[in-house]
Amino acid sequence: MRFMVFVRSPRPLVAQHGDALVRAGVLLDAGDLVPGAFGVSGYWLIDVRDQEEAVERIRRIHLPACVVEIRQVAVV
């Protein structure tokens, strides 16, 4: 299953914290989005067994003062 993980933080974090997902072999894509009113946003696209694994992998990453949203991506 594929999940999009959105991260909002006061500074860019996606590139430097995606290494753990790369080592695990689950990262398909990552990037930073244009800064908005809530600070900097970025995303990871990951491919894991289920939502529980997605949540567990993201919990292992130190994301101080961040808002994280995990959404399943429909694969057609």
Side-chain angles (χ1 to χ4, degrees):
M1 300 175 90
R2 290 184 179 179
F3 292 88
M4 183 71 72
V5 181
F6 295 98
V7 181
R8 286 191 313 223
S9 71
R11 57 190 169 93
L13 293 172
V14 173
Q16 60 183 228
H17 289 293
D19 294 342
L21 299 171
V22 170
R23 285 192 304 274
V26 300
L27 185 67
L28 300 175
D29 191 22
D32 291 318
L33 303 175
V34 176
F38 298 106
V40 178
S41 294
Y43 71 91
W44 292 305
L45 179 62
I46 59 174
D47 190 8
V48 293
R49 281 189 318 271
D50 53 28
Q51 185 174 4
E52 185 177 304
E53 182 182 355
V55 170
E56 184 57 36
R57 288 195 180 276
I58 300 307
R59 278 191 178 148
R60 292 181 198 159
I61 300 171
H62 181 64
L63 297 169
C66 294
V67 175
V68 177
E69 181 179 352
I70 301 173
R71 292 209 176 176
Q72 185 174 353
V73 175
V75 178
V76 291

